[in-house]
């Protein structure tokens, strides 16, 4: 999964949240900052490109894409080892 931070002029909150759900986003956080809506979104890697194309329809979105992957786990914590397939660091090569 990838974390995205999105800044969009206010007034598009519901459309963005609907789009996040459509692209199977998780743990979405919405913040209001002046005349802008800020969203923290976690999306599956393969959905990021199509999601960015979709939100480009709104007025000049600003997007920060965190370059590292994130592993989503769901409680209980005792089942975490079963929820990840490979936790070995990958080579930079």
């Amino acid at each position: 999964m990838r974390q995205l931070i999105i800044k969009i002029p206010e007034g598009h909150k519901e459309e963005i949240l609907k789009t996040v759900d459509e692209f199977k986003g998780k743990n979405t956080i919405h913040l209001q900052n002046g005349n802008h809506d800020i969203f923290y979104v976690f999306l599956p890697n393969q959905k990021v490109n199509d999601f960015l194309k979709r939100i480009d329809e709104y007025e000049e979105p600003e997007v920060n894409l965190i370059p590292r992957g994130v592993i989503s786990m769901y409680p209980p914590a005792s089942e975490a080892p079963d929820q990840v397939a490979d936790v070995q660091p990958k080579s930079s090569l």
Side-chain angles (χ1 to χ4, degrees), residues 13-31:
K13 176 184 171 186
E14 295 305 319
E15 294 103 336
I16 295 297
L17 292 175
K18 187 176 179 181
T19 303
V20 168
D21 285 341
E22 180 182 335
F23 285 90
K24 307 212 185 310
K26 302 284 184 192
N27 303 328
T28 303
I29 299 170
H30 171 257
L31 303 169

Side-chain angles (χ1 to χ4, degrees), residues 8-54:
I8 295 182
E10 68 180 343
H12 301 289
K13 176 184 171 186
E14 295 305 319
E15 294 103 336
I16 295 297
L17 292 175
K18 187 176 179 181
T19 303
V20 168
D21 285 341
E22 180 182 335
F23 285 90
K24 307 212 185 310
K26 302 284 184 192
N27 303 328
T28 303
I29 299 170
H30 171 257
L31 303 169
Q32 184 71 35
N33 182 16
N35 294 332
H36 292 90
D37 289 321
I38 311 284
F39 298 89
Y40 287 77
V41 179
F42 293 87
L43 292 171
N45 293 342
Q46 65 273 22
K47 305 254 182 200
V48 171
N49 190 44
D50 292 334
F51 177 81
L52 292 175
K53 287 178 185 176
R54 177 75 60 85

